[in-house]
């Protein structure tokens, strides 16, 4: 909930739009000289601090010395290249073709990135060591005991089999009490209180009109498939998938003990209810407009929109009866949901709710449920095998006890000058942004001044939170499903307690080991977890062009989100406000339309087109990110006394190779089709070729003639 602006990439394990962007007061950045003096980019080609200017009579400085080095020595992968591909025809293929040819997607994965997955794999191995150590220790410290117990319970398959359905029996018993809309509301509240989300979603969000406070929010939800489009599309693939999903629902209900006849009827009930909910749900493109998901009608308005649902009883059930300030993302959804309450019989609701209990809890149940749950995932993502249990248990521990697990991770993986270096990158990118802002001929002075004000108040969080979260709930070493329910209930209560309280600008939306980053427009804040500040995004042994082409682009990407088609609707304080003059806004929208049209022409699979509107914000951020990072790199190297020529590639070329190689990826067709429906990010190939084909600096670096694919006649530019 909140502004739907995702992270730097779709999370590897949790494909959804849960991350919101949010701002604290900006802190003074570490001087850029610290980056260089600390040796953070100290390889051949690093620039020493500029010497004081000499007297006017001194001769002009000599041209920098050219040092021949290898690609590997500057932080690039020479074996990833495919030199048979022209960089002017397909730069992604040129930079990544060799890696793609020799790389196989692991059978337990649906996609494999040279950056995200490789870093995550290493992070997971270290987290496993932490958890296995906690599991086998005497657990003198409460934190260690919690971690060890949670991981042990997840790994103990024998105990899970023995427990069977016992952990969710109380919930299933409550489901059977549904007789009418009033009793349905009580059961939905009981499920929501434990982190399950049938029918709709309810939580907290910053008020779009007053970013200093939290309010409640009712959002659309209640679907078992990833998106409403899975229910509404009529193409052959969609029809086939719905048929398979219905069979999956039937199998799950049968595992719960329903007879063949009742399971079949129950599956029909679930499909009918979910299809009705999908039909009145907003599309992902519609939800990208903040104005379209902000409708603060408060509790009386919610009751008027859905009068058959017992809202007061529901709020009592989730433990927060005094909530009155409520935003609704879609009254159309609420009214459609309310109509369903009068149409569907109690038996249908029982089938629907029973399925959603088991659908949410299947990973914590016996092997038969895990296997059936994986069948659905396999169908949607193309994943060949289920991931090893230890990896699933590391992920679950990170989701439930993330900031507890993060503490030993940060101690080991985020020491030294990591934070200082990241701050220096932010400083360099910020300086480039201000310089570029001053050059924009489509922006008038008043709007430019407000953009500068927003940038000046933009804050950044790096590495890990300043105050660690504590987890005050029971963790049993033999009750994995119970642990999961208690962890979810803890987080639901934590989120709802925010309502009516001042905003904590130090609260993180990602755990520190996460290989990702995000921008939150309501906090006007960039966040860079420790997990992403590792090679190939950043390395102490890489040179400035390589580090700026990778991590510099990440920083520039998140900064640009503050001014993309969504972020631009929020002011310096994080409030939804129109701070643009009409003429400038019109010119800005024309530029964003150019980007949308450009990406709508790309096809990740035959017959599948990207949605230029769905991916617009991320595409604008990619374009701005690489542009700002290149400008920052050039500024850092302006007075260099020596430059590197890496296997014949200039420093400009090294920058673009670095930017491309963080996106080297192989993706299964099924996942590519899924991502085209739900992912606001473009596929890897187009995140590279789409952005840099719009930059004249790239065409100049690789001598691409006008009219070639990487130097097209028409280009787009926003920031």
């Amino acid at each position: 909930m909140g502004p739907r602006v995702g992270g730097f990439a779709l999370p590897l394990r949790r494909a959804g739009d849960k991350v919101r962007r949010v701002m604290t007061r900006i802190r003074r950045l570490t001087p850029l000289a610290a980056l260089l003096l600390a040796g953070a980019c100290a390889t051949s080609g690093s620039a020493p601090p500029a010497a004081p200017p000499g007297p006017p009579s001194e001769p002009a400085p000599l041209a920098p010395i050219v040092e021949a080095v290898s690609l590997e020595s500057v932080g690039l992968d020479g074996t990833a290249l495919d030199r048979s591909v022209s960089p002017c025809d397909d730069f992604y293929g040129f930079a990544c073709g060799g890696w793609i040819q020799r790389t196989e997607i692991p059978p337990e994965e649906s996609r494999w990135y040279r950056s995200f997955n490789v870093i995550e794999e290493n992070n997971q191995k270290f987290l496993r060591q932490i958890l296995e150590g906690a599991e086998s220790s005497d657990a003198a410290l409460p934190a260690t005991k919690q971690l060890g117990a949670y991981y042990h319970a997840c790994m103990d398959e024998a105990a899970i089999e023995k427990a069977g359905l016992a952990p969710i029996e109380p919930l299933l018993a409550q489901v059977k009490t549904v007789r009418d809309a009033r009793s349905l509301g009580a059961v939905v509240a009981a499920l929501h209180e434990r982190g399950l989300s049938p029918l709709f979603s309810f939580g907290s969000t910053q008020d779009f009109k007053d970013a200093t406070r939290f309010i409640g929010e009712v959002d659309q939800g209640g679907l078992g498939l990833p998106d409403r489009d899975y229910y509404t599309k009529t193409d052959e693939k969609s029809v086939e998938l719905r048929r398979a999903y219905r069979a999956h629902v039937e199998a799950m209900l049968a595992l719960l003990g329903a007879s063949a006849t009742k399971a079949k009827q129950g599956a029909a009930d679930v499909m009918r209810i979910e299809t009705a909910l999908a039909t009145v749900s907003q599309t992902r493109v519609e939800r990208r407009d903040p104005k379209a998901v902000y409708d603060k009608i408060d509790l009386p308005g919610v009751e008027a929109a859905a009068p058959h649902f017992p809202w007061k009883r529901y709020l009592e059930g989730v433990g927060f009866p005094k909530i009155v300030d409520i935003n609704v993302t879609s009254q159309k959804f609420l009214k459609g949901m309310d109509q369903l309450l009068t149409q569907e019989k109690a038996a249908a609701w029982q089938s629907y709710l029973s399925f959603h209990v088991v659908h949410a809890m299947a990973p914590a149940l016996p092997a038969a449920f895990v296997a059936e749950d994986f069948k659905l995932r396999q169908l949607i993502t193309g994943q060949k095998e289920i991931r090893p249990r230890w990896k699933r248990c590391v992920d679950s521990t990170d989701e439930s006890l993330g900031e507890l697990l993060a503490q030993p991770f940060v101690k080991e993986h985020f020491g030294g000058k990591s934070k200082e270096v990241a701050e220096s990158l932010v400083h360099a990118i910020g300086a480039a942004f201000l310089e570029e802002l001053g050059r924009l001929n489509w922006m008038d002075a008043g709007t430019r001044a407000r953009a500068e004000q927003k940038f000046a108040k933009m804050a950044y969080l790096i590495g890990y939170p300043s105050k660690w979260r504590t987890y005050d709930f029971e963790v049993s070493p033999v009750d994995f499903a119970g642990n999961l329910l208690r962890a979810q209930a803890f987080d639901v209560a934590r989120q709802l307690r925010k309502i009516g309280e001042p905003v904590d600008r130090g609260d993180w939306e990602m755990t520190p080991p996460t290989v990702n980053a995000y921008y939150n427009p309501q906090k006007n804040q960039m966040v860079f977890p420790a997990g992403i500040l590792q090679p190939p995004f950043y390395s102490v042994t890489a040179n400035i062009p390589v580090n700026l082409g990778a991590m510099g682009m990440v920083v520039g990407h998140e900064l640009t989100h503050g001014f993309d088609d969504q972020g631009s609707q929020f002011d310096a304080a994080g409030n939804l406000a129109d701070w643009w003059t009409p003429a400038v806004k019109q010119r800005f929208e024309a530029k964003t339309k150019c980007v949308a049209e450009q990406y709508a022409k790309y096809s990740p699979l035959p017959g599948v087109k990207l949605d230029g509107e769905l991916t617009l914000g991320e595409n604008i951020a990619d374009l701005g990110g690489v542009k700002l990072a290149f400008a920052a790199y050039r500024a850092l190297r302006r007075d260099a006394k020596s430059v590197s020529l890496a296997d014949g590639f200039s420093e400009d070329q090294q920058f673009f190779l670095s930017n491309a190689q963080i996106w080297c990826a192989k993706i299964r067709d099924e996942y590519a089709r899924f991502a085209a429906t739900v992912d606001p990010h473009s596929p890897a190939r187009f995140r590279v070729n789409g952005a840099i084909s719009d930059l004249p600096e790239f065409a100049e670096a690789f001598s691409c003639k006008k009219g070639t694919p990487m130097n097209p006649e028409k280009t787009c530019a926003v920031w």
Side-chain angles (χ1 to χ4, degrees), residues 367-601:
F369 292 89
V370 174
E372 182 57 40
D373 182 63
F374 176 66
K375 283 184 183 178
L376 179 62
R377 174 179 289 272
Q378 189 175 40
L379 188 68
I380 293 171
T381 69
Q383 193 175 324
K384 301 301 182 186
E385 297 176 4
I386 194 167
R387 300 174 68 238
R389 187 162 192 95
W390 73 264
K391 288 187 176 181
R392 287 178 276 144
C393 290
V394 167
D395 286 344
S396 184
T397 311
D398 182 49
E399 290 176 24
S400 296
L401 299 166
E403 291 191 16
L404 201 60
L405 180 58
Q407 293 172 46
F409 174 85
V410 165
K411 186 176 181 181
E412 177 71 21
H413 285 273
F414 201 70
K417 297 185 179 294
S418 299
K419 197 178 189 82
E420 186 178 339
V421 166
E423 289 176 342
S424 296
L425 286 173
V426 172
H427 178 80
I429 299 298
F433 175 78
L434 286 176
E435 191 167 337
E436 292 294 326
L437 189 62
R439 294 195 186 108
L440 295 178
N441 58 12
W442 55 269
M443 183 171 280
D444 61 29
T447 307
R448 180 180 287 108
R450 287 185 286 276
E452 290 171 346
Q453 179 189 27
K454 179 169 183 175
F455 169 75
K457 291 188 175 182
M458 190 177 289
Y460 60 96
L461 303 180
I462 294 172
Y464 54 92
S466 58
K467 181 180 178 182
W468 293 108
R469 190 177 301 162
T470 57
Y471 298 88
D472 186 20
F473 60 88
E474 178 191 352
V475 178
S476 165
V478 292
D479 182 14
F480 177 42
N483 289 341
L484 186 58
L485 285 169
R486 286 185 288 272
Q488 291 174 173
F490 170 82
D491 193 60
V492 168
R494 185 181 72 86
Q495 296 292 348
L496 293 180
R497 278 196 301 270
K498 295 178 180 179
I499 297 174
E501 297 296 320
V503 172
D504 177 5
R505 299 191 180 278
D507 192 35
W508 281 50
E509 305 288 340
M510 291 179 177
T511 64
T514 303
V515 189
N516 214 327
Y518 68 93
Y519 170 78
N520 185 325
Q522 289 185 274
K523 289 181 181 173
N524 194 18
Q525 175 190 77
M526 299 181 284
V527 182
F528 305 100
I532 200 171
L533 291 162
Q534 299 179 58
F537 286 107
Y538 175 78
S539 172
V540 70
T541 61
N543 68 2
I544 289 175
V546 170
N547 276 331
L548 268 292
M551 194 61 209
M553 184 270 183
V554 177
V555 175
H557 174 101
E558 300 307 337
L559 190 157
T560 304
H561 267 315
F563 303 91
D564 68 14
D565 64 311
Q566 288 181 306
S568 64
Q569 297 186 55
F570 293 85
D571 64 17
N575 295 317
L576 185 62
D578 191 359
W579 51 272
W580 299 69
T581 57
V584 172
K585 186 70 171 179
Q586 186 176 10
R587 290 193 287 268
F588 172 75
E589 289 175 347
K591 289 180 172 294
T592 63
K593 182 181 179 183
C594 177
V595 177
E597 291 174 348
Q598 174 187 342
Y599 282 80
K601 296 174 183 176

Side-chain angles (χ1 to χ4, degrees), residues 241-251 263-264 267-269 271:
L241 193 146
R242 284 196 294 273
R243 189 180 301 117
Y245 176 61
R246 182 168 175 163
H248 164 75
V249 175
E250 186 175 334
K264 190 176 187 66
D269 293 338
M271 282 300 298

Side-chain angles (χ1 to χ4, degrees), residues 649-663:
F649 290 99
S650 69
E651 291 194 348
D652 283 5
Q653 292 173 328
Q654 292 167 41
F655 171 92
F656 289 112
L657 284 172
S658 175
N659 176 251
Q661 290 192 345
I662 62 173
W663 295 113

Side-chain angles (χ1 to χ4, degrees), residues 628-676:
L628 292 176
F630 187 84
Y633 136 69
R634 278 280 189 86
L636 290 175
R637 301 295 290 144
R638 186 175 294 132
D639 299 318
K641 290 184 168 54
S642 64
V643 295
S644 63
L645 191 66
D647 289 344
F649 290 99
S650 69
E651 291 194 348
D652 283 5
Q653 292 173 328
Q654 292 167 41
F655 171 92
F656 289 112
L657 284 172
S658 175
N659 176 251
Q661 290 192 345
I662 62 173
W663 295 113
C664 294
K666 292 193 78 168
I667 302 173
R668 300 193 192 280
D669 286 353
E670 296 90 341
Y671 187 88
R673 190 177 299 277
F674 157 76

Side-chain angles (χ1 to χ4, degrees), residues 201-213:
S201 295
F202 183 73
S204 60
T205 187
Q206 280 176 263
D207 189 339
F208 280 19
K209 294 293 186 180
D210 181 4
T212 65
R213 62 193 290 266

